[in-house]
Amino acid sequence: MSTTQNERLRELLEPLVTSQGLDLEEIAVDSVGRKRVLRVVVDSDTGADLDQIADVSRELSAKLDESDAMGEGEYTLEVGTPGAERLLTEHRHYVRAEGRLVKFQLAEGGELVARILKADDEGLDLEVPGVKGRKATTRRIAFPEIAKARVQVEFSRKDKNENAEEA
């Protein structure tokens, strides 16, 4: 049974990432001109700080240097965290996105933008913002109803505590 390069890389690198208290979210090998770039995305429930990323980067670099997982030729290793508008694909992603605004593509068609209040094993409790002066409503959505979900960037969100103080 043949395995892909990404599978071999995941098998090699995931134990190192996990030993640093992080989750290996994504591995991608891209060609940029004549050079190759190995992108490794890591995260945790509390996020990953720069020191953790630097530590895991050194560990991964050393492990890659002693293996032939990247084959011959030069490559660049980039280690980082998911972007601000991350795609939610695993249960842990939904848990980490509690309190965040998310755009859902629904399995039966259509889309919904709502804030994740709580994630459990079966689905999500959401707060759907009110439209045209109406109050927000709550909604329950099961994971099978979700085709795709992506965190939305909020530039002007006011914390509920700030609103209470201003009133």
Side-chain angles (χ1 to χ4, degrees):
M1 181 174 163
S2 165
T3 59
T4 66
Q5 182 181 29
N6 278 8
E7 290 169 338
R8 289 191 307 272
L9 285 167
R10 181 171 287 279
E11 191 174 293
L12 178 71
L13 303 179
E14 194 160 31
L16 293 173
V17 172
T18 303
S19 73
Q20 297 287 326
L22 300 170
D23 295 317
L24 179 57
E25 296 292 350
E26 185 181 329
I27 294 176
V29 180
D30 298 313
S31 294
V32 180
R34 292 184 179 175
K35 295 185 180 183
R36 292 177 301 149
V37 178
L38 170 58
R39 290 184 176 90
V40 178
V41 178
V42 299
D43 202 7
S44 77
D45 290 343
T46 58
D49 64 31
L50 289 176
D51 290 335
Q52 286 178 300
I53 291 171
D55 290 344
V56 78
S57 182
R58 282 189 290 273
E59 294 273 339
L60 297 180
S61 181
K63 188 68 168 181
L64 288 164
D65 287 348
E66 68 186 37
S67 79
D68 65 347
M70 287 299 292
E72 296 296 318
E74 291 183 27
Y75 67 92
T76 301
L77 172 63
E78 294 180 359
V79 180
T81 58
E85 291 187 352
R86 76 171 305 162
L87 192 61
L88 306 177
T89 58
E90 303 283 336
H91 181 266
R92 69 178 177 262
H93 299 161
Y94 290 96
V95 172
R96 291 173 186 165
E98 286 181 2
R100 303 286 308 270
L101 194 64
V102 175
K103 183 176 186 178
F104 297 93
Q105 298 294 324
L106 303 177
E108 293 183 3
E111 62 184 39
L112 170 69
V113 176
R115 189 170 310 285
I116 298 177
L117 299 174
K118 180 79 175 135
D120 60 34
D121 291 340
E122 289 80 40
L124 306 169
D125 292 329
L126 304 174
E127 178 185 71
V128 182
V131 180
K132 296 183 181 177
R134 294 186 181 157
K135 288 188 175 185
T137 58
T138 58
R139 176 176 174 179
R140 175 79 181 166
I141 189 169
F143 287 118
E145 295 176 64
I146 303 169
K148 189 175 174 182
R150 185 178 299 277
V151 172
Q152 300 296 289
V153 174
E154 295 181 84
F155 293 107
S156 62
R157 178 179 178 203
K158 289 189 176 185
D159 202 15
K160 287 183 179 182
N161 292 336
E162 288 178 25
N163 289 338
E165 290 171 11
E166 291 175 6

